[in-house]
Amino acid sequence: MTSHGDVTDEYNRRAGTDPQLRGCVRDLDMTESAAYYADAGIARPMFAPLREIRNLTDDIRATIAVMDDLPNRCFGGSLESYLSAQGYDDELLSAMLAGIVGSGTPAGPWNSAADIGHGRADVFRGPDGCRVLELNMGSALGGRLTTTLNSALLRSPVFRGFAEEFGLSWIDPVRVLVDDLLAVGRTTIGTDAPVVAIVDESGTDDSCVRLMPELRARGVNALHGEFGELDVVGGKGRLRGEPVDIVLRFFFVRHIPHEPGGMDTLRALTEAHRAGRTALFTPFDPEIHGGKAALGLLFEPEVRARLAAAEIARVDRIIPWTRLVGPGFPTVEPAARAELLEECRARRTDLVLKPANLYASQGVVFGDEVGDAEWRALLATPPRPDYVVQERVRPRAEAVIDPKTAEPEDWTVLWQVFFGPAGYGGSSVRGRPRSQPGAVGGNDVTRTGCAFVH
C-alpha cells in the first residue's frame, strides 16, 4: 500500500523540478469554475489514505449516535436541558427548539425524527492519527465547492498522469448532497424531481449562490434566495411566491431571532416538513450536537459515568480533551470549575480557548501565544460565558512547493471531512503557512485547497 509520505514526498520531489506540476493549481484555465478557488488556494492538493479517512468517519458517526442518546442517558430525556447544559441562552434555545422536527417534551424522551448524521468534521492529521477539533452539523456547511478543484485538476494532463500513477481518487460532496436531496424528496415529499430552494439568512453576501449552478448541472431544479423571501401558504413552503419541495438550509439558529417574523416562519417550515409538504434539509435536529460545548460534555465526569468503556475509548481516540470552562454552563458546579481553572492555568502552553457558539476562528486564543497574566485573566473572566478549553493538537507539517520559487514551505493544514447517511462524503482542506502563527480559518492568511485519497 502506498503511504501518505510516499505520495506527498514524490509529488513534491517532482514538483521541485517540473514547473507544470508545481503550478497545476495556480495555472488552471480561468474558464473553470474552480478558478475562483485556485487563484488564492494552496499550491498543491493534499493526500491521505482512504482507509484512514473512512475509519475516522465511522468513528465520528458512532460518536454522534452516542451524543444523540445523551439527552436520554444524562438529562432525563429533556432536549431543553441538554441544550441548556451547552450554554444556550433563552433566545437561541427557543429558536433551536422551533426548528427541530424530532419528538420530545421537557420530561422526555428525546427521539430525532431526522437523520442526525449529516455534517463536516474539522480535522488535524497527526503522527498519532486524526483528531476532530469541531463537528459542524446539518446542511449549512462550507467547503463543498472547493472540491471543484479536484475535477479541474484531473482535466490537467500533468496532474492526471500523477493521479493515475498513484491511484488517487476523490468523492464529490456536491454529488453526495444531490443524492441526499433526491432521497429526501422521495421519502418526505414523494417526488423524484424536487424543486430545491437554497436559502441563506437575509442580507447575506450571496456566497451560496455559487452552489445553484453546481446543483443544476447535476440535474436538480435549484433556486436561491434569502430567508426573508420565504413564506408558508397552505402548509407549502414558497420562495418569492414559487412553491418549493425542499428548503436547503444555509441559515443558522443564531440568525432566526434577527429575521423579521423569523420564529413564525421557522415554525411553519417545521410543520410543513412534518406534514410532508416541504422538507427542511436539514432541520435543526443535527445541530443540537454541533457546538463546541457538545464535545465538552463528552468529557464532563457526570456524562462519562454514563458511557461504556468502548465509547469512552472512541471519544478519546478522535477528540482532544475538551472542557466547559466559561461561567455560562449551568451544570458545571463552582467547585468543579475552580478545580478545572487551576488545571488550565498550569497547562497554558498545551491549551486553546474557544467560544462554543462562534465560528471562523472568532475569539480563539492559543495559550502559548499569550503570557501567564493574560491567560489567567481570560480564564477568570472570559469575553463570553460560553468558552471551552481544548487540548491543542499539533498536526504534521505539510510541505508545499512554491510555484514561483520552487522552494518548499511547511503549512498547517485542516481537513474538512464531510459525512452523511452513506458514510464518508468527500474532503476539502484549509491551511496557512507555519511561519504565520494563529488559527486556520477566518483570516486573510488562510487558504483553501483540495484533497485526494489513495
Side-chain angles (χ1 to χ4, degrees), residues 359-378:
Y359 59 101
S361 301
Q362 296 178 78
V364 173
V365 180
F366 294 97
D368 64 355
E369 294 181 7
V370 298
D372 279 329
E374 184 176 353
W375 181 252
R376 286 173 174 269
L378 284 167

Side-chain angles (χ1 to χ4, degrees), residues 18-148:
D18 183 346
Q20 286 187 309
L21 184 61
R22 69 173 177 264
C24 63
V25 173
R26 303 287 173 85
D27 296 338
L28 284 175
D29 188 332
M30 292 305 292
T31 62
E32 294 272 13
S33 60
Y36 175 88
Y37 300 99
D39 185 49
I42 302 173
R44 73 162 174 87
M46 298 295 134
F47 310 109
L50 176 59
R51 178 178 295 179
E52 175 187 303
I53 303 300
R54 285 199 186 280
N55 288 345
L56 171 67
T57 304
D58 291 344
D59 279 345
I60 290 169
R61 287 178 54 79
T63 299
I64 292 170
V66 172
M67 295 168 77
D68 203 49
D69 198 34
L70 291 186
N72 293 326
R73 291 195 204 184
C74 305
F75 297 94
S78 170
L79 184 60
E80 184 172 345
S81 296
Y82 176 62
L83 292 171
S84 294
Q86 296 180 45
Y88 278 76
D89 60 28
D90 290 343
E91 186 177 67
L92 288 181
L93 180 61
S94 295
M96 180 68 86
L97 295 174
I100 285 173
V101 301
S103 60
T105 68
W110 161 247
N111 179 31
S112 176
D115 192 306
I116 51 88
H118 294 274
R120 189 199 77 212
D122 290 350
V123 176
F124 273 158
R125 299 178 62 238
D128 298 324
C130 296
R131 307 304 296 275
V132 176
L133 307 185
E134 296 180 20
L135 285 174
N136 303 276
M137 301 297 296
S139 53
L141 306 172
R144 288 191 183 100
L145 292 181
T146 312
T147 59
T148 54

Side-chain angles (χ1 to χ4, degrees), residues 365-419:
V365 180
F366 294 97
D368 64 355
E369 294 181 7
V370 298
D372 279 329
E374 184 176 353
W375 181 252
R376 286 173 174 269
L378 284 167
L379 289 171
T381 55
R384 291 171 54 95
D386 64 340
Y387 264 82
V388 303
V389 65
Q390 189 173 79
E391 189 172 48
R392 186 167 183 180
V393 179
R394 302 181 188 275
R396 63 162 61 100
E398 292 281 1
V400 177
I401 306 298
D402 187 281
K404 295 181 179 178
T405 67
E407 294 295 324
E409 182 177 23
D410 282 347
W411 282 59
T412 296
V413 173
L414 181 77
W415 281 64
Q416 300 179 127
V417 178
F418 295 92
F419 53 88

Side-chain angles (χ1 to χ4, degrees), residues 95 98 227 251-263 266 284:
F227 187 92
F251 54 88
F252 294 88
V253 63
R254 64 178 178 269
H255 297 138
I256 298 302
H258 305 289
E259 296 279 357
M263 290 291 287
L266 180 60
F284 285 157

Side-chain angles (χ1 to χ4, degrees), residues 240-429:
R240 296 186 294 272
E242 180 174 347
V244 297
D245 299 307
I246 300 174
V247 171
L248 175 51
R249 180 180 61 80
F250 275 88
F251 54 88
F252 294 88
V253 63
R254 64 178 178 269
H255 297 138
I256 298 302
H258 305 289
E259 296 279 357
M263 290 291 287
D264 290 339
T265 300
L266 180 60
R267 291 191 183 100
L269 285 171
T270 302
E271 289 305 315
H273 180 105
R274 290 173 174 151
R277 300 295 309 282
T278 294
L280 187 55
F281 185 85
T282 62
F284 285 157
D285 300 56
E287 291 196 25
I288 67 172
H289 313 303
K292 303 174 190 71
L295 299 184
L297 282 176
L298 293 170
F299 291 85
E300 287 300 305
E302 294 80 2
V303 171
R304 291 218 143 192
R306 305 294 182 92
L307 303 184
E311 293 170 341
I312 292 173
R314 185 189 302 115
V315 168
D316 291 347
R317 183 168 63 247
I318 66 170
I319 300 172
W321 181 83
T322 306
R323 297 296 302 274
L324 310 177
V325 73
F329 301 107
T331 59
V332 181
E333 296 294 334
R337 182 170 181 260
E339 183 178 343
L340 175 61
L341 290 178
E342 187 60 36
E343 178 180 357
C344 293
R345 284 190 284 267
R347 298 181 59 195
R348 170 179 62 82
T349 58
D350 297 324
L351 301 177
V352 185
L353 281 171
K354 302 178 176 183
N357 295 310
L358 292 184
Y359 59 101
S361 301
Q362 296 178 78
V364 173
V365 180
F366 294 97
D368 64 355
E369 294 181 7
V370 298
D372 279 329
E374 184 176 353
W375 181 252
R376 286 173 174 269
L378 284 167
L379 289 171
T381 55
R384 291 171 54 95
D386 64 340
Y387 264 82
V388 303
V389 65
Q390 189 173 79
E391 189 172 48
R392 186 167 183 180
V393 179
R394 302 181 188 275
R396 63 162 61 100
E398 292 281 1
V400 177
I401 306 298
D402 187 281
K404 295 181 179 178
T405 67
E407 294 295 324
E409 182 177 23
D410 282 347
W411 282 59
T412 296
V413 173
L414 181 77
W415 281 64
Q416 300 179 127
V417 178
F418 295 92
F419 53 88
Y424 174 52
S427 297
S428 60
V429 297

Side-chain angles (χ1 to χ4, degrees), residues 173-186:
V174 180
R175 179 70 254 176
V176 173
L177 174 62
V178 167
D179 292 342
D180 289 339
L181 291 171
L182 294 177
V184 168
R186 286 189 294 270

